[in-house]
Amino acid sequence: MSNKVNKNALRAGTITAGVTLVLLMSSPAFALVRDDGDDPGPGLSVIQTLGLYVAAPIVLFLVIAGLVMVGSKKSDWHYSKK
């Protein structure tokens, strides 16, 4: 049993290492080639990045939560206990 487990572990490790090596060798080649029409704009500043990825989702969450709370307060759903 232990010989079979070691053989399977060695096989899995070899395949994982091989796939990782192939991916690492091919990724820089794809990064250097620009597509036709690929024209990246200027990067975002720190403030713009924080606003886009931190502040905007928080504000959106608060707006949605507020709308849900307002909608639930206006409806007079009362559950009666039987």
Side-chain angles (χ1 to χ4, degrees):
M1 177 84 179
S2 119
N3 190 18
K4 187 175 184 179
V5 172
N6 288 340
K7 192 180 216 181
N8 286 341
L10 182 62
R11 183 179 297 147
T14 304
I15 291 173
T16 303
V19 169
T20 304
L21 183 64
V22 169
L23 287 175
L24 286 174
M25 287 181 359
S26 67
S27 61
F30 292 129
L32 296 175
V33 177
R34 292 267 184 201
D35 291 334
D36 291 338
D38 185 17
D39 188 19
L44 297 175
S45 70
V46 174
I47 299 299
Q48 290 173 331
T49 304
L50 289 175
L52 183 63
Y53 294 109
V54 176
I58 290 173
V59 168
L60 186 63
F61 173 79
L62 292 175
V63 167
I64 293 171
L67 290 173
V68 169
M69 288 172 50
V70 166
S72 67
K73 285 184 180 180
K74 286 188 177 183
S75 65
D76 288 333
W77 284 91
H78 296 286
Y79 295 101
S80 61
K81 294 181 180 178
K82 291 184 179 182

